[in-house]
Amino acid sequence: MAEGEELEIIKNKLDSNGWSTSGKIYPSTVCRAWMFMSLIRDEILEISLGPPLSAHETQLRRDELKRRSEEIYFQMPHELRWQPDDVERHRSMSAFQFSLQMALYQEYNMNKFLINRLPDGGSFSVKQDLVDTARKMLDGILVLCANRDKLTNNAIDFVCAIVYHGIPSAAILSVELLKQSKSPQDWRVSLPRSEIIQNLSIFIGALEWVRPSEGNYTLCIRMRKVIKRILDQVLDLPPPYSRSSRSPENSGFHDPAPADLAISSILGPQDEPDFLEWLNSVDWTRDILQDAWT
């Protein structure tokens, strides 16, 4: 173990948060980054699996975890952090650095997703921050789709990423898109409709890459079917102004469903409503990798 003058030289190469300033990625750098991510995840699981908290207590813990999660991620060296808008840097990045940055970025977003998904007094609610995080996670999956050649023998298993990060985010966005399309007068969160429809369409293609021999294949197939049905319904609906200007008796559509109405009452029986109800209410901290329909 280093000591004395040698130890001082090493300490001088670290920033105020203990990260190396050399610009190099060492094995210890990677381990330290994942250790910090795991500490946040451990606290999320403690809340999720522990005794129920009041809505106020949950909100306090949620705010604290969000703050610490952001501090941990943005204090990491530049070499570990994914910058979505830095296209030039992406092109010159090695396969190892790309995989590592994407893995940490997606895990950071997954922590935020789970924090926002913590139940308020025993019930789940969808808020803007959850939707925004889900969009970032799905964007990350699409980046992986476009760069699959960089994932070989590196930090990310593509199918695992689809199941672990893609399905939870796509589930939230699909359900909210369907609800808001059916009930445009009762928007609770802001959704960029065009972007989400395009990204979900690409994600359907990613789900088709999952082979029958892969784990959670059945879950991926059912998710693909449900997203396709949702997009069919969303795209078949007339524009909101058209629906609002036509009376129910003269329209081919029923009255818009309230945003809190059960998903099974929005979809028809052919759309596997039980599966979508599960997607809408699942506790991803408990069931994230369970294939309940194998």
Side-chain angles (χ1 to χ4, degrees):
M1 181 178 292
E3 57 184 23
E5 184 177 346
E6 183 183 2
L7 180 60
E8 287 301 316
I9 293 174
I10 295 173
K11 288 170 61 177
N12 290 335
K13 294 180 180 179
L14 304 178
D15 65 16
S16 59
N17 298 305
W19 294 103
S20 172
T21 58
S22 67
K24 298 179 181 179
I25 300 176
Y26 301 98
S28 57
T29 310
V30 178
C31 290
R32 191 168 190 258
W34 283 112
M35 182 269 293
F36 282 130
M37 291 289 189
S38 299
L39 290 176
I40 296 295
R41 180 65 56 83
D42 185 67
E43 292 192 47
I44 296 171
L45 291 173
E46 180 184 347
I47 297 172
S48 178
L49 302 176
L53 301 176
S54 67
H56 177 67
E57 290 174 318
T58 301
Q59 187 60 48
L60 290 177
R61 293 293 301 274
R62 183 187 289 124
D63 291 343
E64 179 195 1
L65 284 172
K66 281 183 184 178
R67 178 187 59 79
R68 288 173 48 212
S69 180
E70 290 180 0
E71 283 182 358
I72 286 171
Y73 184 73
F74 289 103
Q75 285 174 358
M76 289 183 185
H78 186 255
E79 293 75 26
L80 296 181
R81 285 186 284 113
W82 177 256
Q83 306 289 338
D85 299 325
D86 195 350
V87 179
E88 290 301 320
R89 184 174 171 227
H90 301 166
R91 292 171 180 167
S92 61
M93 198 178 294
S94 68
F96 169 74
Q97 189 173 16
F98 169 81
S99 298
L100 178 60
Q101 285 192 8
M102 282 302 304
L104 289 171
Y105 176 72
Q106 289 292 75
E107 196 68 5
Y108 160 67
N109 282 320
M110 189 65 188
N111 277 345
K112 286 185 63 179
F113 181 93
L114 295 176
I115 291 169
N116 283 305
R117 198 64 172 147
L118 289 172
D120 290 314
S123 62
F124 295 108
S125 61
V126 175
K127 298 179 180 178
Q128 188 65 51
D129 197 20
L130 176 62
V131 170
D132 292 341
T133 302
R135 287 173 55 200
K136 292 177 182 178
M137 289 171 63
L138 188 57
D139 285 344
I141 292 296
L142 301 189
V143 170
L144 295 178
C145 290
N147 294 273
R148 289 189 69 190
D149 57 310
K150 290 188 175 183
L151 303 183
T152 306
N153 298 323
N154 281 295
I156 300 178
D157 179 89
F158 183 69
V159 174
C160 181
I162 287 178
V163 175
Y164 189 58
H165 298 122
I167 287 182
S169 56
I172 291 293
L173 296 175
S174 298
V175 170
E176 286 304 304
L177 181 66
L178 178 64
K179 285 182 176 181
Q180 293 194 4
S181 296
K182 292 282 187 175
S183 184
Q185 78 284 359
D186 191 20
W187 286 19
R188 293 176 295 177
V189 294
S190 174
L191 286 177
R193 177 185 167 93
S194 176
E195 172 200 305
I196 291 175
I197 290 175
Q198 291 180 59
N199 288 352
L200 288 175
S201 299
I202 299 173
F203 185 63
I204 289 174
L207 290 171
E208 292 175 348
W209 293 340
V210 180
R211 297 186 296 270
S213 59
E214 300 282 2
N216 289 285
Y217 169 76
T218 305
L219 175 61
C220 292
I221 294 304
R222 298 191 74 173
M223 186 68 189
R224 183 184 69 188
K225 178 180 177 181
V226 167
I227 294 177
K228 289 176 72 173
R229 290 293 302 167
I230 288 176
L231 293 182
D232 286 344
Q233 291 212 21
V234 168
L235 294 173
D236 284 344
L237 287 171
Y241 69 85
S242 175
R243 275 178 277 164
S244 62
S245 62
R246 297 168 65 184
S247 62
E249 58 271 18
N250 295 327
S251 169
F253 295 87
H254 300 292
D255 288 334
D260 292 325
L261 199 61
I263 298 298
S264 57
S265 64
I266 299 178
L267 290 176
Q270 75 277 18
D271 298 310
E272 303 195 66
D274 290 341
F275 178 66
L276 198 54
E277 288 284 7
W278 176 79
L279 289 176
N280 192 40
S281 61
V282 64
D283 180 355
W284 295 103
T285 57
R286 298 169 185 257
D287 305 319
I288 186 68
L289 290 177
Q290 289 184 7
D291 187 352
W293 298 275
T294 301

